[in-house]
Amino acid sequence: MAKSASIAASAALLVRQPGALEVVQVMYDAPLLHEVRVRTAAAGLCHSDLAFLQGVRVHPLPLVPGHEGSGIVEAVGDGVATLRPGDHVVVCASTACGTCRSCTRGLPWLCVGRALLDRTPTELPRLTLDARPVHQFRGLSTFAEVMLVHERAVTRVDAKVPLDIAALLGCAVVTGAGSVINQRLEPDCSIAVIGCGGVGLNLLAATRGVAARRVIAVDLHPEKLERARRYGASDTVDASRTDVTAAVLDLEPGGVDHVFEVVGSSATLRQAFDLLAPGGTAYMVGVATDGVEVSLPMDRMLFGRTVRGLYMGSTVPSRDVPRYAQSYLDGELDLDGLVSHRVPLAMIGDAYAAMETGVDARTLVVF
Ligand SMILES: [Zn+2]
Ligand SMILES: [Zn+2]
């Protein structure tokens, strides 16, 4: 492969095989047509990366993971009209090609044409190591000093939002808040949220706009339930000590109208279904391991109970990211309280190990 003068090395987290994380210098090409190079400011640790890091979900390797990030535009390729060097931006995995069937049906968050936003096989790969291609995660790869992405993956944010906090807007906030705001829940409904990490807390915060009768938070960790109360839960259920179904039905004897599953396991999705009132909906927000199935009682389903998958909060980044940034600046959305740790890239392995114990809110890698 010919090396062009525009190729530059940057430190990135590399996964050559599941479970093995190393920080190495990866080569980044210059931005081509409709591409943007972003100097990374911060990247958030999200559970959905963890499954790929561990090999529980399969992704082509070698891979630079990470899908929640912020930074400053450093260079733009031809055809980029709306972004300039110096812009503060967020990258988001809810990227849309604009031309596929999902996009033209008005469901861009379900885009099936994202491959159109990657480079073609005849172009140089965006990222290389020893002249071999390195794969990007969701076209982003935020765990690196630099991101080389399609302009459609980038949303400009108000420079008044601190850049590290802005990273949260890329996944935790849009996925959590969007799962509520973009569903238009009716006032006086009852809501339950199973799983109170970074996404779950944003989901709870968004329920404040619903005027719900009751908002029940369920988690295995008392620390997380404590935080859940600050973010909008009216009641909490400690799943490590209590039978969740009995405890929730004790609070809401007829069942719950909207139950959000933010864990990504078949056991908690089944639990979400078992909490439903007739006509209620269980939303699958958490990302499950490949191939996992769930079984549901058909007699209960007949009474209008629905299970619905929500991908990344049905987010349209250009519409939603600025809205959440403004809520933060207006003091309505507490994003500072969501960050429990800030670590350098070299400490990311330890930070993911800590995440598995489960008590933290969000850890940010800061550059
Ligand atoms: Zn995520
Ligand atoms: Zn599309």
Side-chain angles (χ1 to χ4, degrees), residues 92-103 107-120 126 136-140 149-150 152-153 311-317:
C92 187
S94 184
T95 312
C97 74
T99 54
C100 73
R101 176 144 166 77
S102 294
C103 285
L107 306 169
W109 53 90
L110 301 180
C111 176
V112 291
R114 291 195 176 102
L116 297 172
L117 307 179
D118 290 336
R119 289 192 177 180
T120 65
R126 286 181 186 150
Q136 285 182 300
F137 187 63
R138 300 283 186 265
L140 303 177
V149 298
H150 194 281
R152 284 178 170 269
Y311 179 69
M312 286 206 75
S314 311
T315 292
V316 178

Side-chain angles (χ1 to χ4, degrees), residues 44-47 50 168 172 195-202 219-228 230-231 262 336-343 347-364:
L45 274 67
C46 179
H47 261 282
L50 193 57
L168 301 169
C196 302
V199 172
L201 290 175
N202 278 287
D219 203 286
L220 288 163
H221 300 281
E223 300 95 322
K224 287 187 160 182
L225 292 172
E226 184 86 27
R227 229 179 265 131
R230 293 202 297 277
Y231 276 79
V262 201
D336 302 286
L338 278 181
V339 181
S340 44
H341 297 87
R342 288 174 170 79
V343 300
M347 297 292 289
I348 198 169
D350 296 340
Y352 264 112
M355 179 188 263
E356 286 181 84
T357 66
V359 296
D360 297 336
R362 206 62 154 185
T363 297
L364 288 177

Side-chain angles (χ1 to χ4, degrees), residues 29 156 247 319 329 332:
D29 194 20
R156 190 170 41 232
R319 177 193 66 193
L329 291 173
E332 294 162 6

Side-chain angles (χ1 to χ4, degrees), residues 3-360:
K3 279 199 173 177
S4 89
S6 55
I7 289 181
S10 277
L13 183 75
L14 190 74
V15 183
R16 281 187 233 246
Q17 52 189 320
L21 310 182
E22 51 186 325
V23 177
V24 300
Q25 293 290 315
V26 169
M27 305 306 288
Y28 283 72
D29 194 20
L32 297 183
L33 187 68
H34 294 302
E35 288 181 346
V36 180
R37 188 172 73 223
V38 178
R39 177 64 47 181
T40 314
L45 274 67
C46 179
H47 261 282
S48 39
D49 283 297
L50 193 57
F52 289 103
L53 299 182
Q54 295 169 330
V56 178
R57 298 188 75 200
V58 179
H59 193 287
L61 301 174
L63 164 75
V64 176
H67 63 277
E68 179 179 276
S70 60
I72 298 178
V73 173
E74 209 171 52
V76 299
D78 289 340
V80 177
T82 58
L83 294 161
R84 286 189 303 201
D87 282 347
H88 288 207
V89 295
V90 167
V91 298
C92 187
S94 184
T95 312
C97 74
T99 54
C100 73
R101 176 144 166 77
S102 294
C103 285
T104 54
R105 285 175 72 206
L107 306 169
W109 53 90
L110 301 180
C111 176
V112 291
R114 291 195 176 102
L116 297 172
L117 307 179
D118 290 336
R119 289 192 177 180
T120 65
T122 58
E123 293 171 324
L124 277 177
R126 286 181 186 150
L127 279 56
T128 53
L129 182 68
D130 300 330
R132 292 209 181 87
V134 171
H135 296 279
Q136 285 182 300
F137 187 63
R138 300 283 186 265
L140 303 177
S141 295
T142 58
F143 293 138
E145 287 176 336
V146 156
M147 298 180 278
L148 180 60
V149 298
H150 194 281
E151 64 173 328
R152 284 178 170 269
V154 176
T155 307
R156 190 170 41 232
V157 284
D158 193 320
K160 289 199 285 293
V161 180
L163 264 179
D164 56 343
I165 291 297
L168 301 169
L169 297 169
C171 176
V173 176
V174 294
T175 305
S179 293
V180 173
I181 290 169
N182 292 328
Q183 308 316 313
R184 299 201 172 81
L185 309 186
E186 71 283 6
D188 199 39
C189 64
S190 53
I191 297 172
V193 179
I194 303 174
C196 302
V199 172
L201 290 175
N202 278 287
L203 209 155
L204 286 163
T207 63
R208 287 186 172 131
V210 176
R213 183 172 68 244
R214 193 188 288 279
V215 179
I216 306 165
V218 180
D219 203 286
L220 288 163
H221 300 281
E223 300 95 322
K224 287 187 160 182
L225 292 172
E226 184 86 27
R227 229 179 265 131
R229 278 195 183 271
R230 293 202 297 277
Y231 276 79
S234 59
D235 301 87
T236 58
V237 172
D238 183 344
S240 71
R241 307 156 53 107
T242 329
D243 176 338
V244 171
T245 309
V248 171
L249 294 181
D250 202 33
L251 291 164
E252 279 292 303
V256 179
D257 302 317
H258 302 281
V259 184
F260 294 88
E261 193 276 347
V262 201
V263 178
S265 84
S266 60
T268 43
L269 185 59
R270 174 59 199 265
Q271 189 168 69
F273 185 86
D274 289 341
L275 301 180
L276 291 177
T281 304
Y283 303 90
M284 190 186 112
V285 179
V287 178
T289 304
D290 293 345
V292 168
E293 297 192 355
V294 64
S295 87
L296 300 170
M298 289 172 69
D299 57 333
R300 286 174 57 78
M301 196 177 259
L302 185 64
F303 288 88
R305 293 179 177 89
T306 306
V307 174
R308 184 155 180 225
L310 291 181
Y311 179 69
M312 286 206 75
S314 311
T315 292
V316 178
S318 60
R319 177 193 66 193
D320 298 336
V321 169
R323 173 180 8 169
Y324 303 137
Q326 193 58 49
S327 297
Y328 169 77
L329 291 173
D330 292 343
E332 294 162 6
L333 185 59
D334 173 18
L335 298 183
D336 302 286
L338 278 181
V339 181
S340 44
H341 297 87
R342 288 174 170 79
V343 300
L345 186 60
M347 297 292 289
I348 198 169
D350 296 340
Y352 264 112
M355 179 188 263
E356 286 181 84
T357 66
V359 296
D360 297 336

